[in-house]
């Protein structure tokens, strides 16, 4: 079910304070959003934090890349498909909710900027 955290092609240098802060925040919150200017390293930071936090989650870390998705109405279906969740006749959102309710996992949604409202509603 788990889509892998993107592999790092380079060493992660610096931003130790950011990694530590985000790690602590993940221990005490259910939703964490990274924002910043394009090219500021949000994805690289998120992938580093997620890779380091994998051991904390019994069902691992799931990474869903949203850049290819153009239609915000398809967001739940896209995530369900990316995670390999069978939904049959159930609505994708119901299948996603039912599945994740039973999991102890970190779900990372990357590149949400063109789907801000849909991601907030999700």
């Amino acid at each position: 079910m788990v889509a892998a955290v993107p592999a790092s092609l380079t060493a992660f240098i610096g931003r130790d304070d950011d990694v530590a802060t985000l790690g602590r925040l993940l221990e005490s919150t259910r939703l964490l959003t990274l924002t910043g200017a394009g090219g500021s390293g949000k994805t690289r930071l998120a992938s580093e934090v997620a890779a380091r936090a994998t051991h904390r989650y019994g069902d691992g870390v799931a990474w869903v890349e949203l850049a290819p998705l153009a239609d915000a109405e398809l967001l739940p279906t896209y995530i369900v498909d990316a995670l390999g969740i069978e939904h049959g006749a159930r609505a994708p959102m119901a299948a996603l909710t039912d599945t994740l309710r039973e999991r102890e996992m970190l779900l990372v949604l990357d590149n949400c900027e063109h789907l801000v409202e849909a991601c907030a509603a999700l």
Side-chain angles (χ1 to χ4, degrees):
M1 169 180 152
V2 177
V5 175
S8 299
L9 302 176
T10 59
F12 189 77
I13 299 171
R15 299 186 82 173
D16 293 333
D17 291 343
D18 293 335
V19 171
T21 298
L22 293 174
R24 282 191 302 277
L25 287 170
L26 281 176
E27 293 174 359
S28 62
T29 188
R30 294 180 55 133
L31 176 65
L32 182 60
T33 303
L34 303 183
T35 63
S40 63
K42 297 177 298 295
T43 294
R44 182 67 178 94
L45 179 59
S47 67
E48 185 67 24
V49 171
R52 292 185 187 189
T54 300
H55 68 280
R56 293 187 200 172
Y57 302 94
D59 294 301
V61 175
W63 187 280
V64 179
E65 173 58 54
L66 298 179
L69 181 62
D71 186 347
E73 291 184 24
L74 297 177
L75 181 63
T77 302
Y78 187 84
I79 295 171
V80 163
D81 290 346
L83 298 177
I85 298 170
E86 294 292 330
H87 60 89
R90 291 185 300 169
M93 187 62 184
L96 181 62
T97 303
D98 292 346
T99 300
L100 294 182
R101 182 179 293 120
E102 302 299 320
R103 306 275 182 198
E104 181 186 5
M105 69 182 298
L106 174 61
L107 174 61
V108 180
L109 303 178
D110 190 30
N111 289 306
C112 299
E113 56 272 4
H114 63 295
L115 304 165
V116 172
E117 291 180 21
C119 287
L122 183 83

